[in-house]
Amino acid sequence: MTVLARSVAQLRSAIADLPGSVGLVPTMGALHEGHARLVSLAAQENTSVVVSVFVNPLQFTDLGDCDDFRNYPRDLDADFALLENLGVDVVFAPTTDEMYPGGLPQVWVRSGEMGERLEGASRPGHFDGVTTVVAKLFQLTQPDRAYFGEKDAQQLAIIQRMVADLNFPVAVRPVPIIRGEDGLAESSRNQHLSAEAREQALVLPHVLAELQERAAAGVPLDIKGARRMLRTAEGVELDHLEVIDPATLLPVEEVGEGALAVAAIHVGGTRLIDNVRLVPGA
Ligand code: PAF
């Protein structure tokens, strides 16, 4: 039976009864195939699985006083039904007051320079909101392992660094991107895309796949050309396209084994991110 915990007290009593190792999947709800993959990996590797569903105002513009936060898709009944179906042990879906009982926190976990680049340059403070809520979720659920999608490559790198820097006793498990049949990476934000916007958004996986092919073939990447394709695509506004080291998030000159091409675009008022690993000679 899946327990729904709406308060910290309910969560504590639910996890006290869990046997063996605990896998945590932190989410903001609006669950899709990508989340299902995180949950199934957590179930394979742990005795018990806890999924949090919380749209965290701290990681939105103006601490949630913005349309992006207000319009973020929320459907706890549908999320709970899906998680129950997947055999999740505990769903933690707190209210904002329950997570931040004294109002906004005074003490935050700062993401530092890693949080100021790429996504962070366009969304100042976003990653401080992420690290603060994830640190709280780690404290509350005391997981053995925690699961994060590789689509949010910057978030993943920052959480890995937070765990190392602050000695959280949790193993961070990266989970590969899930794509729709058309190639678009699964995201809760895809719900906002009209059919036309979704079609226009496909330039993003297309350009990234081309970079991946060039890297594999040992051909120069032509990042400027790739940026131009995204900048001039109909209905698309380019935020950034860079080739980075996935651990430090710093730009790389040479495409080594683990380089990532990361990009963010706006389509039809929706911000989308995606990335691919560049493997020379693959
Ligand atoms: O990736 C997300 O959905 C969120 O950033 C997370 C990790 C659940 C923190 O709110």
Side-chain angles (χ1 to χ4, degrees), residues 67-80:
D67 286 343
D68 193 22
F69 177 70
R70 282 185 282 270
N71 299 336
Y72 198 85
R74 294 167 172 88
D75 189 345
L76 183 57
D77 289 345
D79 290 342
F80 186 79

Side-chain angles (χ1 to χ4, degrees), residues 8-215:
V8 167
Q10 286 168 356
L11 174 71
R12 290 219 158 105
S13 103
I15 57 175
D17 298 338
L18 293 180
S21 60
V22 172
L24 170 67
V25 181
T27 81
M28 297 209 298
L31 304 177
H32 49 68
E33 267 305 300
H35 294 111
R37 175 67 72 88
L38 300 181
V39 171
S40 65
L41 194 63
Q44 273 168 39
E45 295 185 346
N46 301 276
T47 324
S48 307
V49 178
V50 177
V51 176
S52 61
V53 176
F54 177 60
V55 185
N56 173 37
L58 262 49
Q59 66 192 75
F60 286 80
T61 305
D62 293 334
L63 304 171
D65 188 10
C66 62
D67 286 343
D68 193 22
F69 177 70
R70 282 185 282 270
N71 299 336
Y72 198 85
R74 294 167 172 88
D75 189 345
L76 183 57
D77 289 345
D79 290 342
F80 186 79
L82 184 121
L83 295 171
E84 202 174 22
N85 219 16
L86 292 171
V88 165
D89 297 276
V90 180
V91 176
F92 177 46
T95 59
T96 304
D97 285 349
E98 194 63 33
M99 277 304 265
Y100 303 116
L104 293 176
Q106 285 293 314
V107 178
W108 291 56
V109 178
R110 295 278 177 222
S111 55
E113 280 177 18
M114 287 178 84
E116 288 164 13
R117 309 195 62 254
L118 304 166
E119 282 294 283
S122 303
R123 307 176 70 189
H126 167 71
F127 288 107
D128 292 348
V130 171
T131 43
T132 301
V133 80
V134 171
K136 279 172 76 83
L137 291 168
F138 285 176
Q139 282 296 106
L140 289 166
T141 54
Q142 306 277 313
D144 296 279
R145 299 177 190 84
Y147 296 79
F148 294 88
E150 287 182 344
K151 182 173 75 66
D152 297 294
Q154 186 171 10
Q155 168 171 283
L156 175 63
I158 291 171
I159 303 272
Q160 283 170 323
R161 186 62 193 250
M162 177 183 85
V163 162
D165 283 352
L166 302 183
N167 300 96
F168 279 100
V170 52
V172 173
R173 299 296 228 202
V175 183
I177 296 175
I178 300 282
R179 297 184 182 278
E181 276 177 18
D182 57 6
L184 194 67
E186 289 285 358
S187 163
S188 303
R189 290 175 193 271
N190 292 355
Q191 290 188 23
H192 293 311
L193 297 173
S194 64
E196 188 192 19
R198 184 169 179 123
E199 190 65 33
Q200 291 170 333
L202 295 183
V203 68
L204 179 58
H206 174 78
V207 165
L208 289 174
E210 207 166 287
L211 288 175
Q212 199 169 38
E213 278 164 29
R214 281 175 167 266

